[in-house]
Structures are given as structure tokens and as C-alpha cells.
Amino acid sequence: MDNFYLTTAIYYVNDKPHMGSVSEAISADIIARFKRLEGKDVFFSTGTDEHAQKIEDRAKEEGIDPQLFVDKASKTWKDLFNMFGISYTRFIRTSDADHIKVVKHFFQTLYDKGDIYLGEYEGWYCVRDATFLKDSDLKSGKCPICGEKVQKINETNYFFRLSKYEKPLLKYYEEHKDFLRPESRYNEVMNVIKSGLQDISVSRKSFKFGTPVPFDKDHTIYVWFDALLNYLTAIDFLKDEEKFNKYWPADLHLVGKDITRFHGIIWPAMLMSYGLPLPKEIFAHGFWNLEGEKMSKSKGNVVNPIDFVKEFSKKAGIDIETAVDVTRFYLSKEISFGLDGNFTMDTFYRRYNSDLANDFGNLINRTTTMLYKYKDGAVPEEMVRDEKIINFINEQEKIYLKEMDKYNFSQALDAVWNIINTLNNYIQTKTPWKLEDNQDALSSILYTLLEGIRHITILLAPFMPFTTKKVLKTFQDDPASIKKMEWGQLKVGIKIEKLPPIFPRLKRETADEENGKEENFISHEDFAKLDLRVAQIIAAEKVQESQKLIKLRISLGDEERTIVGGIALHYEPEQLIGKKIIIVKNLKPRKLMGVTSYGMLLAASDENNLSLLILDKDVKEGSKIS
Ligand code: MSP
């Protein structure tokens, strides 16, 4: 059986969990569940990082023994993860005895190899981020990451010869373009390596809470050196060789963008030094903000995930597990995984009402209501197969699998919603309620709908494990598996239990849902004023004396035009010819560097990339976009 070993970062226990931190565990859980759905043997590890100075400081503040403090705090995280359905194989704590053994052994080995040596450290330390900083790293005298005060340190420390691994790392990165994703993070780390690596301090003398250096009890091993090794301990390094060899190297380390460098530079260098293979992939995701602002305790805008879920479950009249699923769904659908996201109550309520209550929930309710009305709740026979709809579902399933493979959760969910929307339309167009005198047709339509729902539920299982389990049980098809996605596996004759509405529609006390808030919405009439068209590029050349502009000749089927776009930094003219793009046709003509543009091309951009909007299927030039 294929193995898949994935990890999350391990969480500092001094802070209470918030929606941003739990989002990483949820994303990892979605991947773990998806891989299991594919039949893989998954080892999924997560846990708590307990040896940081700020944790000891926090325990002192509360007047508790640090060990008691971390025991209690670690349990808070574990309980939270259990509540959110995080299906970890091991919940590791850096205070676990087997981990301490691994850390000591690893430190000793690198020392014996001459890669750790005693030196003098003079510089700064940020307690919050557990990071050593140079003068040149500081921003207005403060930590460049969190903006907090830093401590001056002047101590004898053990150093790790990171500089020795500069060239090997560079070579590795050049040969493994997918080692660190997304590409923007890969580039960031490459630039740091290229700018030169210096040896780093890997012990602290003035601080005792943690793992002591095995051959020098005056020193405590640096928290990051300690923490990174959790990825080895979790799969029984030094304890069970067979198990370790089965899962190492890890298939995926999922981490946030703030800790990319620790994972992309220090960790691989430590492994190179020891002589272990490097993980196959590190994926650095973005950060969740809250209502447009960075989540931070000092701003007081951290959402406690447990309180949030409890409150939402009360408001929506759903149980806690369903509310957890709604939250997991929202966090996966709302952003393109990898980029930053903005958690807002408004979008949360909207997604719930439109995607879950209106689309998915309604499809189930309407279908089971009809099943009870016409067939007494028993699955009827599929007399005639509707190949067109089955092909469409198969096609979307392929897209889903492809997107899930790349961790594009939102795009994978789009494919599922294409199926849901198509089946809702299918009910509208087939009007089964008018077919009581054509039982064969009625049976076939109901079967198509039920089998479609079964497929959708399997696809949603990684995202909404609690709800999908309940639905699949009523279909007598639990647990979910990709193998069960062949059309027609739903058993004829079984009775489908009628569930109460899973996602009852939520009434908002504030925003007027149906009409939308003035400030956020444009009317349909406003949108209709835009004439958006498919256009084929037939010629392209750079605009002279401009670095950014390209002049395009485009065809709209029955007419040709010139359009100028600021895309020259991202596209060569030759690669554009033949592409079908989207333009605004009825924009007032405008002169750019002496060339008149008759319309505007549409493109998406972030700080690194610009991409033209291109169609994913062939549609005739001149076609309208609505
Ligand atoms: N203990 C270190 C990691 C050691 S891994 C060997 C650490 N802990 S943390 O608690 O500060 O962060 C844990 C994870 O949560 C990190 O990957 C971090 O990027 C992520 N997140 C923290 N806040 C977040 C958001 N607001 N949004 C998304 N992820 C966030 O760093």
C-alpha cells in the first residue's frame, strides 16, 4: 500500500488557539483524509511545541510549575483538535520522553561530526518568535516578524555550521523545484540562501526549560532545533526502524509562511548533516486575517474556535459537529490555499446560506422528500441511464481529483458545486413531480439524483467528515472511498433514512440577505452594462519605449481590434498568439503611449505573478461572458 506521511507545524502552547492556527490543522486533515480516501496508508502528525522561553515566562507569570503549565495547555490544543475532527495518527509533544531522546542523540551526532561547535554569540533574540537576530535584521530596533521588543544576548553558545550547507542547499533547490511550494516561497528561500548563510546558534545558556545539551548541562538546546526534530520522533525514529523507514522521508510538511525559512533552510541542513534524506515537499500556506486585520492578542481580535463553533451552532440550530464542518468548509472554500485569507462574519454567513443551505442542503432535502412521496423512501431502479449527466459528473470528479492533488481545495470544491448546481437544475428541468404517470422516467431521475448525492458526499468527506458520515450512513455506504465512485453502486431497494434539514437556512439579524447591502453590491443592471467577450489574440508586439505594454490584435469573430495591455513583464508577445482571453469590449477607447486601446484585457495579479484570464474550454471568439 502507498504510504503518505504528513505533518503540521507544532503549536506553541503559551498562546490560546485561534482560528488562524487551527486552520493549518484543518488543511492538513483534509489532505490526510483525502489520501486515505484514495486508499493510502497515511501517517498524520501534529502536536505541541513546549520548550520556548516564552512558555517558561508565561508559566512564571501565572505562578505555575512550567511542566504543569504545558501539560494543561497541550491538552487544550489536543481537545480542540479532537473537536475539529483532526484525524492525527500521533499528537506529539516536545516534552515526550522519546522526543527528548531523539533531540539529545541528534545534537550529539552533529557535534561528533564537527557540525556543532562552541562559540560566542552576540546579537539579539526575539522571545515571541524564538529567533536569533542580527543588527541588520531589526526594524526600528524591534523584531521584524512580530514587531515586539528584542533582548540583547551576549553568551557562549553552541553553533550549527549552517554555512557549510549553503552550496548543497542551493544545489538541492535548483534540482528540486517542487521542494518548497508555492513558487513565491521557493523564490524567497532561494534568495536568502543565495545571499549567504551564516552559522546559527543552537543552544541557550541563560535559560533552562527545555532539553539540556547532552555533554554540557549548562546549555539548553535551542527550541527550533528541538522542535524540528518532532518530525522524526513522531514516526518512531530510534525506536522502530521499520516504521521509520516506511514513512521517512515525509511526503509533506505543511507550515505557515512565517516559518518557511526554518523549514526550508535550517531543517534540510540539519538532515544533510545527519545524513537523512530530505522531506519530499514543504508547503507554506498564507495567513488568515480577521475582518481585514492581522489576528493578534494585543488587538484582542482573535476568534476562539471553540466559542465560535458553539455560538454558530446555537444561532443556526445545528449540532456542534455540523457547525465544525461548516467552519472547515468555509476555511477551505473562501481562499485559494497558499494565499492569505480574510475571515469575515459576513462571508461566513453568506457561504453557509448559499452554498450549504441553498445548494447542497436543498438538493438533499428535495430529493429525499420526493423519494418519500413517490417511492416510500426506497431507492428505485435506474431504468434509463442519463449518460450526459453521468459524463458531466465524471468529468467534474476528474477535475476534483486533479485539484486535490495540488492542494487546491477551493477549486476542487468548485468542481463539487458544479455537480450540485447541475443536479439542482436537473430537478428544475426534469420536473419529476409531473411524471407520476411515467414511473420509469420518475425512477430513473430519482436514482440519478440519489447516486449523484452519494458521489458528492464522498467528495466532500475530507472537508466535512461529520456530516458526510451521517449522510453516507443513510445511504448504507459508510466509510467513503474513491473506489466507490463508479456510477451505479447505490443499491436498489434500500431505504434511505430521511434526515431533518442538515443546514437550515439562517436568518440574519443584520444584513438584508436577499437584496444585499448597498455598499458591498452592484445591481444586476450595473453588471449587465459590462460587455465582456472572448477574444482570440492574432498578433502581438511590444509597444516601443514602454517596458510594460504589449499591443495586441484580437479577433472577436466578426471584427478585429487593437487592445493595449500592461503585461510585457509577464508574457513574451510570441507566447500570446492564439490564446483566447477575456476582454471588456465596451470600455471607452484610451490612448496608452501613443497607441489607442479599444477595450481592456482582464488579468489577475498578486505580488509575484500576473495571469491572463483564459478559458478552460474552447468557446468561440466573440462569445459573451455573463
Ligand atoms: N512552534 C512553531 C513551529 C515549530 S514547527 C517545527 C510555531 N508555532 S505557532 O504556534 O506560532 O504556529 C503554528 C502554525 O500556525 C504555524 O505554521 C503558523 O504559521 C500557523 N499560524 C499561526 N497564525 C496563523 C494565521 N493567522 N493563519 C494561518 N496560520 C497561522 O511557529
Side-chain angles (χ1 to χ4, degrees), residues 3-8 25 28-29 31-33 35-36 40-47 78 81-82 85-93 96 98 230 233-236 243 246-247:
N3 304 319
F4 196 88
Y5 175 33
L6 86 158
T7 67
T8 67
D29 185 62
I31 298 171
R33 287 177 185 269
K35 297 289 172 191
R36 288 192 201 110
K40 296 210 161 109
D41 171 349
V42 174
F43 196 101
F44 169 24
S45 95
T46 187
K78 197 171 180 181
F81 285 0
N82 291 339
I86 309 301
S87 58
Y88 53 80
T89 322
R90 171 153 181 195
F91 187 93
I92 186 165
R93 300 181 53 189
D96 287 340
D98 58 347
N230 91 84
T233 314
I235 47 168
D236 286 353
K243 180 169 170 189
K246 177 172 165 193
Y247 292 112

Side-chain angles (χ1 to χ4, degrees), residues 374-386:
Y374 303 122
K375 302 285 172 193
D376 205 17
V379 176
E381 211 168 321
E382 186 184 29
M383 310 302 289
V384 192
R385 275 201 170 192
D386 191 331

Side-chain angles (χ1 to χ4, degrees), residues 347-525:
T347 50
F348 191 94
Y349 278 74
R350 268 174 220 293
R351 281 237 166 270
Y352 175 77
N353 265 351
S354 74
D355 297 355
L356 296 177
N358 273 8
D359 299 343
F360 184 39
N362 228 353
L363 176 65
I364 297 182
N365 291 344
R366 290 165 89 188
T367 305
T368 44
T369 304
M370 287 190 291
L371 185 70
Y372 270 81
K373 184 158 178 206
Y374 303 122
K375 302 285 172 193
D376 205 17
V379 176
E381 211 168 321
E382 186 184 29
M383 310 302 289
V384 192
R385 275 201 170 192
D386 191 331
E387 297 296 344
K388 202 167 142 219
I389 205 151
I390 298 171
N391 286 342
F392 177 79
I393 293 174
N394 285 341
E395 220 174 81
Q396 296 303 315
E397 284 170 351
K398 278 192 200 127
I399 297 176
Y400 165 95
L401 292 174
K402 220 170 77 198
E403 299 294 359
M404 286 300 279
D405 242 4
K406 294 188 276 182
Y407 316 136
N408 288 336
F409 304 137
S410 185
Q411 291 81 342
L413 287 168
D414 281 344
V416 181
W417 254 257
N418 286 342
I419 304 177
I420 293 175
N421 293 334
T422 300
L423 289 179
N424 272 325
N425 283 337
Y426 187 73
I427 300 180
Q428 261 347 89
T429 50
K430 294 283 177 186
T431 55
W433 50 90
K434 290 187 188 158
L435 294 174
E436 267 189 279
D437 51 358
N438 185 350
Q439 284 297 316
D440 280 5
L442 181 59
S443 295
S444 302
I445 292 167
L446 285 174
Y447 188 92
T448 307
L449 290 169
L450 291 164
E451 178 63 344
I453 292 172
R454 191 183 68 86
H455 279 232
I456 292 162
T457 313
I458 294 174
L459 301 174
L460 290 179
F463 297 92
M464 300 199 273
F466 297 112
T467 311
T468 52
K469 196 172 178 61
K470 279 178 213 155
V471 176
L472 283 176
K473 266 196 181 150
T474 70
F475 280 69
Q476 299 182 21
D477 203 25
D478 181 50
S481 157
I482 296 284
K483 279 204 209 105
K484 295 180 177 171
M485 275 181 18
E486 211 173 299
W487 189 266
Q489 291 195 26
L490 176 62
K491 289 184 212 85
V492 173
I494 59 164
K495 201 136 185 184
I496 305 273
E497 186 196 335
K498 193 167 181 338
L499 296 171
I502 304 176
F503 305 111
R505 208 178 147 74
L506 190 75
K507 289 216 171 38
R508 297 278 326 254
E509 300 116 26
T510 50
D512 176 359
E513 274 260 62
E514 300 300 337
N515 304 318
K517 273 196 265 169
E518 286 295 324
E519 64 268 28
N520 284 337
F521 290 90
I522 60 164
S523 68
H524 285 255
E525 287 76 7

